[in-house]
Amino acid sequence: KLERDADFVLAAAQAVLEQIDEDKVAAYFGKNHDKDSDSFDEDLAEEMKEQKEAIIAAYAQIAETLGDEATAEDSDSIEAFEDAIDDLAVWTSVESDDYFDLRLKREMLHERFGKALSMLSDKLGDEPEKDLYEQRIELLETLGWDEWANHERAMMLVRYPKQATIF
């Protein structure tokens, strides 16, 4: 990920949110709209969809930025991060894979390392990705499970060799 200026990201996301009437968007999505009806307004539907996506993107950026800035020692930063996740959860499910990193960060900030390890292991079962293995190694070291961390490092050489084998 690119390094980013937290204040700039937060200000930009807040500026997006200030341009949108969240209550109007919530009211629109609060009731069903029959697309086959003569009174269905496609332009309005598209506008509301775009605004909802913008709201979700802005809250996701706020949560991600505050999560990057938060530390386990700073309860105020954790509270701000939790509030940002709550704001995001109003508009979309944070249980989806799109927000896995936010949920993992939440567990790490609350020092629920067992839950974080379980989440990483489950995710690796679905999508074995190198960065997830690296995160798991770091977590195993945090737990003081050096033997397991060394085993995972050795398995990384098997899973991701530095050069392709000849045969």
Side-chain angles (χ1 to χ4, degrees):
K1 291 183 178 179
L2 297 174
E3 290 294 320
R4 56 191 182 160
D5 182 12
D7 293 334
F8 176 77
V9 172
L10 293 174
Q14 198 59 44
V16 168
L17 293 172
E18 289 171 3
Q19 298 296 316
I20 299 172
D21 182 351
E22 289 184 49
D23 292 334
K24 182 178 175 183
V25 177
Y28 179 83
F29 285 102
K31 71 181 216 181
N32 293 325
H33 300 275
D34 182 8
K35 293 181 180 182
D36 297 328
S37 169
D38 292 339
S39 63
F40 181 73
D41 185 346
E42 275 190 48
D43 293 335
L44 178 62
E46 186 62 29
E47 178 186 345
M48 290 294 127
K49 180 181 173 194
E50 288 174 5
Q51 288 186 7
K52 181 179 178 185
E53 289 170 356
I55 291 168
I56 291 169
Y59 280 128
Q61 284 298 311
I62 290 170
E64 186 177 324
T65 302
L66 292 175
D68 290 345
E69 298 291 310
T71 62
E73 298 79 30
D74 182 2
S75 62
D76 290 340
S77 68
I78 294 173
E79 185 176 342
F81 175 60
E82 290 288 347
D83 289 345
I85 290 177
D86 291 344
D87 289 339
L88 178 61
V90 167
W91 293 97
T92 189
S93 171
V94 294
E95 297 303 314
S96 71
D97 281 348
D98 294 339
Y99 305 109
F100 174 81
D101 291 336
L102 290 177
R103 293 192 324 273
L104 183 64
K105 181 69 174 180
R106 174 191 277 167
E107 300 306 325
M108 295 296 289
L109 286 171
H110 289 287
E111 298 180 349
R112 296 187 290 239
F113 301 126
K115 176 67 175 170
L117 183 59
S118 174
M119 289 173 62
L120 279 169
S121 296
D122 289 346
K123 181 83 168 176
L124 281 166
D126 296 337
E127 304 172 26
E129 296 176 8
K130 187 175 182 177
D131 65 316
L132 293 175
Y133 282 112
E134 290 169 350
Q135 286 179 327
R136 185 161 71 175
I137 290 170
E138 287 178 32
L139 183 52
L140 290 168
E141 289 173 339
T142 300
L143 289 167
W145 296 359
D146 296 328
E147 293 83 10
W148 281 101
N150 290 335
H151 171 74
E152 283 292 324
R153 255 191 226 91
M155 291 305 298
M156 287 286 284
L157 295 174
V158 174
R159 290 182 192 111
Y160 304 101
K162 295 217 184 270
Q163 61 190 43
T165 57
I166 296 173
F167 298 101

